[in-house]
PDB file of all heavy atoms in Angstrom:
ATOM      1  N   ARG W 411      93.754 185.319  57.470  1.00  0.00           N
ATOM      2  CA  ARG W 411      93.979 185.893  58.770  1.00  0.00           C
ATOM      3  C   ARG W 411      95.134 185.228  59.436  1.00  0.00           C
ATOM      4  O   ARG W 411      95.978 185.815  60.171  1.00  0.00           O
ATOM      5  CB  ARG W 411      92.820 185.764  59.726  1.00  0.00           C
ATOM      6  CG  ARG W 411      91.637 186.751  59.560  1.00  0.00           C
ATOM      7  CD  ARG W 411      90.842 186.960  60.771  1.00  0.00           C
ATOM      8  NE  ARG W 411      90.138 185.656  61.083  1.00  0.00           N
ATOM      9  CZ  ARG W 411      89.087 185.215  60.494  1.00  0.00           C
ATOM     10  NH1 ARG W 411      88.459 185.879  59.575  1.00  0.00           N
ATOM     11  NH2 ARG W 411      88.559 184.000  60.818  1.00  0.00           N
ATOM     12  N   TYR W 412      95.379 183.911  59.198  1.00  0.00           N
ATOM     13  CA  TYR W 412      96.511 183.186  59.881  1.00  0.00           C
ATOM     14  C   TYR W 412      97.795 183.156  59.148  1.00  0.00           C
ATOM     15  O   TYR W 412      98.811 183.426  59.634  1.00  0.00           O
ATOM     16  CB  TYR W 412      96.030 181.777  60.239  1.00  0.00           C
ATOM     17  CG  TYR W 412      95.087 181.793  61.357  1.00  0.00           C
ATOM     18  CD1 TYR W 412      93.650 181.825  61.024  1.00  0.00           C
ATOM     19  CD2 TYR W 412      95.349 182.170  62.625  1.00  0.00           C
ATOM     20  CE1 TYR W 412      92.752 182.003  62.056  1.00  0.00           C
ATOM     21  CE2 TYR W 412      94.464 182.248  63.645  1.00  0.00           C
ATOM     22  CZ  TYR W 412      93.162 182.184  63.359  1.00  0.00           C
ATOM     23  OH  TYR W 412      92.227 182.367  64.293  1.00  0.00           O
ATOM     24  N   CYS W 413      97.651 182.977  57.755  1.00  0.00           N
ATOM     25  CA  CYS W 413      98.923 182.892  56.946  1.00  0.00           C
ATOM     26  C   CYS W 413      99.484 184.191  56.596  1.00  0.00           C
ATOM     27  O   CYS W 413     100.708 184.352  56.158  1.00  0.00           O
ATOM     28  CB  CYS W 413      98.714 182.055  55.740  1.00  0.00           C
ATOM     29  SG  CYS W 413      97.374 182.525  54.663  1.00  0.00           S
ATOM     30  N   SER W 414      98.728 185.377  56.595  1.00  0.00           N
ATOM     31  CA  SER W 414      99.224 186.612  56.060  1.00  0.00           C
ATOM     32  C   SER W 414     100.512 186.978  56.880  1.00  0.00           C
ATOM     33  O   SER W 414     101.481 187.594  56.285  1.00  0.00           O
ATOM     34  CB  SER W 414      98.271 187.651  56.157  1.00  0.00           C
ATOM     35  OG  SER W 414      97.813 187.833  57.512  1.00  0.00           O
ATOM     36  N   GLU W 415     100.627 186.763  58.148  1.00  0.00           N
ATOM     37  CA  GLU W 415     101.733 187.150  58.901  1.00  0.00           C
ATOM     38  C   GLU W 415     102.997 186.276  58.485  1.00  0.00           C
ATOM     39  O   GLU W 415     104.163 186.835  58.324  1.00  0.00           O
ATOM     40  CB  GLU W 415     101.465 186.910  60.315  1.00  0.00           C
ATOM     41  CG  GLU W 415     102.556 187.381  61.324  1.00  0.00           C
ATOM     42  CD  GLU W 415     102.576 188.898  61.406  1.00  0.00           C
ATOM     43  OE1 GLU W 415     101.833 189.598  60.780  1.00  0.00           O
ATOM     44  OE2 GLU W 415     103.459 189.441  62.158  1.00  0.00           O
ATOM     45  N   SER W 416     102.807 184.953  58.272  1.00  0.00           N
ATOM     46  CA  SER W 416     103.979 184.164  57.823  1.00  0.00           C
ATOM     47  C   SER W 416     104.449 184.584  56.381  1.00  0.00           C
ATOM     48  O   SER W 416     105.599 184.713  56.175  1.00  0.00           O
ATOM     49  CB  SER W 416     103.597 182.719  57.721  1.00  0.00           C
ATOM     50  OG  SER W 416     102.917 182.392  58.951  1.00  0.00           O
ATOM     51  N   LEU W 417     103.404 184.880  55.626  1.00  0.00           N
ATOM     52  CA  LEU W 417     103.798 185.291  54.251  1.00  0.00           C
ATOM     53  C   LEU W 417     104.545 186.586  54.278  1.00  0.00           C
ATOM     54  O   LEU W 417     105.570 186.737  53.484  1.00  0.00           O
ATOM     55  CB  LEU W 417     102.442 185.526  53.423  1.00  0.00           C
ATOM     56  CG  LEU W 417     102.487 186.170  52.092  1.00  0.00           C
ATOM     57  CD1 LEU W 417     103.379 185.261  51.153  1.00  0.00           C
ATOM     58  CD2 LEU W 417     101.103 186.356  51.439  1.00  0.00           C
ATOM     59  N   ALA W 418     104.176 187.494  55.118  1.00  0.00           N
ATOM     60  CA  ALA W 418     104.907 188.804  55.195  1.00  0.00           C
ATOM     61  C   ALA W 418     106.290 188.550  55.742  1.00  0.00           C
ATOM     62  O   ALA W 418     107.253 189.164  55.278  1.00  0.00           O
ATOM     63  CB  ALA W 418     104.134 189.796  56.184  1.00  0.00           C
ATOM     64  N   LEU W 419     106.479 187.598  56.740  1.00  0.00           N
ATOM     65  CA  LEU W 419     107.888 187.329  57.209  1.00  0.00           C
ATOM     66  C   LEU W 419     108.757 186.731  56.141  1.00  0.00           C
ATOM     67  O   LEU W 419     109.831 187.218  55.967  1.00  0.00           O
ATOM     68  CB  LEU W 419     107.797 186.388  58.423  1.00  0.00           C
ATOM     69  CG  LEU W 419     107.278 186.880  59.795  1.00  0.00           C
ATOM     70  CD1 LEU W 419     107.508 185.839  60.832  1.00  0.00           C
ATOM     71  CD2 LEU W 419     108.189 188.101  60.237  1.00  0.00           C
ATOM     72  N   ILE W 420     108.194 185.883  55.397  1.00  0.00           N
ATOM     73  CA  ILE W 420     108.934 185.278  54.260  1.00  0.00           C
ATOM     74  C   ILE W 420     109.281 186.338  53.274  1.00  0.00           C
ATOM     75  O   ILE W 420     110.416 186.478  52.707  1.00  0.00           O
ATOM     76  CB  ILE W 420     108.189 184.111  53.612  1.00  0.00           C
ATOM     77  CG1 ILE W 420     107.930 182.993  54.660  1.00  0.00           C
ATOM     78  CG2 ILE W 420     108.842 183.464  52.417  1.00  0.00           C
ATOM     79  CD1 ILE W 420     107.053 181.860  54.226  1.00  0.00           C
ATOM     80  N   THR W 421     108.329 187.144  52.898  1.00  0.00           N
ATOM     81  CA  THR W 421     108.582 188.181  51.756  1.00  0.00           C
ATOM     82  C   THR W 421     109.673 189.172  52.359  1.00  0.00           C
ATOM     83  O   THR W 421     110.531 189.505  51.573  1.00  0.00           O
ATOM     84  CB  THR W 421     107.187 189.001  51.523  1.00  0.00           C
ATOM     85  OG1 THR W 421     106.177 188.069  51.326  1.00  0.00           O
ATOM     86  CG2 THR W 421     107.411 189.920  50.362  1.00  0.00           C
ATOM     87  N   GLN W 422     109.523 189.461  53.593  1.00  0.00           N
ATOM     88  CA  GLN W 422     110.499 190.425  54.212  1.00  0.00           C
ATOM     89  C   GLN W 422     111.930 189.820  54.074  1.00  0.00           C
ATOM     90  O   GLN W 422     112.823 190.512  53.798  1.00  0.00           O
ATOM     91  CB  GLN W 422     110.123 190.759  55.566  1.00  0.00           C
ATOM     92  CG  GLN W 422     110.761 191.874  56.161  1.00  0.00           C
ATOM     93  CD  GLN W 422     110.177 192.281  57.589  1.00  0.00           C
ATOM     94  OE1 GLN W 422     109.663 191.348  58.278  1.00  0.00           O
ATOM     95  NE2 GLN W 422     110.417 193.434  57.931  1.00  0.00           N
TER      96      GLN W 422
END
Side-chain angles (χ1 to χ4, degrees):
R411 278 202 304 278
Y412 290 97
C413 56
S414 59
E415 186 70 6
S416 313
L417 173 59
L419 284 185
I420 297 170
T421 312
Q422 194 173 26

